[in-house]
C-alpha cells in the first residue's frame, strides 16, 4: 500500500488528483497482486506516463485514427471515436474494451458505456 505522500513523490505533477486516485490505485494493486516494490514501481511508472500523472483518463485525440481498424476490433463506423483510449493506461479499440469489460465486470457493459473507464475506480482497475 502506498501513502499519499509517496504517490505525490512518484507523480509530483498529479496535484489534487493524487488524493482522488490513491484509494483506487491501492485497491487495484491489492486486487491484482501488484504487491512487490518492483511490480508497484512498474505499474505506477506506466500509469504516470500514460495518464500524464493522473491528468488524463480519456485520450486527447478524437479517435478518428482508429476508425475501422480491424486490429483493434473496430468494425463499425464510429468505433474509433467510441473506443478511443480511456482509463489510466488508455484501453483502446472495441476488442480491448470487450476483453477489459469481461475481465472487470463479467459482461460487456463497456461496449455500451465506454465512459465507465473514466471513473477513478474503473480507470485504475482497467490498468
Amino acid at each position: 500500500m502506498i501513502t499519499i505522500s509517496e504517490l505525490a513523490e512518484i507523480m509530483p505533477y498529479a496535484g489534487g488528483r493524487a488524493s482522488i486516485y490513491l484509494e483506487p490505485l491501492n485497491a487495484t494493486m491489492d486486487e491484482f497482486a501488484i504487491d512487490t516494490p518492483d511490480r508497484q514501481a512498474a505499474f505506477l511508472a506506466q500509469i504516470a506516463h500514460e495518464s500524464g500523472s493522473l491528468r488524463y483518463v480519456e485520450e486527447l485525440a478524437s479517435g478518428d485514427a482508429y476508425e475501422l481498424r480491424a486490429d483493434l476490433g473496430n468494425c463499425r463506423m464510429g468505433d474509433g471515436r467510441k473506443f478511443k483510449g480511456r482509463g489510466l493506461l488508455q484501453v483502446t479499440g472495441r476488442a480491448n474494451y470487450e476483453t477489459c469489460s469481461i475481465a472487470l465486470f463479467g459482461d460487456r457493459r463497456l461496449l455500451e458505456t465506454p465512459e465507465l473507464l473514466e471513473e477513478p475506480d474503473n480507470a485504475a482497475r482497467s490498468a
Side-chain angles (χ1 to χ4, degrees), residues 38 72 81 84:
D38 286 345
L72 295 172
R81 284 181 180 262
K84 69 182 187 172

Side-chain angles (χ1 to χ4, degrees), residues 2-19 22 25 44 53-54:
I2 60 170
T3 65
I4 191 67
S5 60
E6 290 169 332
L7 186 56
E9 189 172 335
I10 293 164
M11 298 184 207
Y13 300 110
R17 292 176 303 280
S19 62
L22 179 65
L25 288 170
L44 294 170
S53 292
L54 307 174

Side-chain angles (χ1 to χ4, degrees), residues 43-120:
F43 179 68
L44 294 170
Q46 192 65 39
I47 284 173
H49 173 73
E50 293 285 337
S51 70
S53 292
L54 307 174
R55 274 190 209 101
Y56 308 109
V57 290
E58 180 184 10
E59 184 172 356
L60 295 175
S62 68
D64 286 344
Y66 307 127
E67 201 61 52
L68 298 177
R69 288 260 313 266
D71 60 319
L72 295 172
N74 291 344
C75 55
R76 301 176 187 156
M77 286 303 297
D79 279 358
R81 284 181 180 262
K82 185 173 183 177
F83 300 111
K84 69 182 187 172
R86 286 191 180 83
L88 292 175
L89 289 187
Q90 302 292 303
V91 174
T92 305
R94 175 183 283 277
N96 292 323
Y97 271 73
E98 183 173 21
T99 299
C100 181
S101 190
I102 291 168
L104 296 183
F105 307 115
D107 59 32
R108 291 174 171 78
R109 73 182 72 179
L110 289 177
L111 296 181
E112 295 302 318
T113 315
E115 299 82 12
L116 288 173
L117 288 185
E118 297 173 37
E119 297 173 3

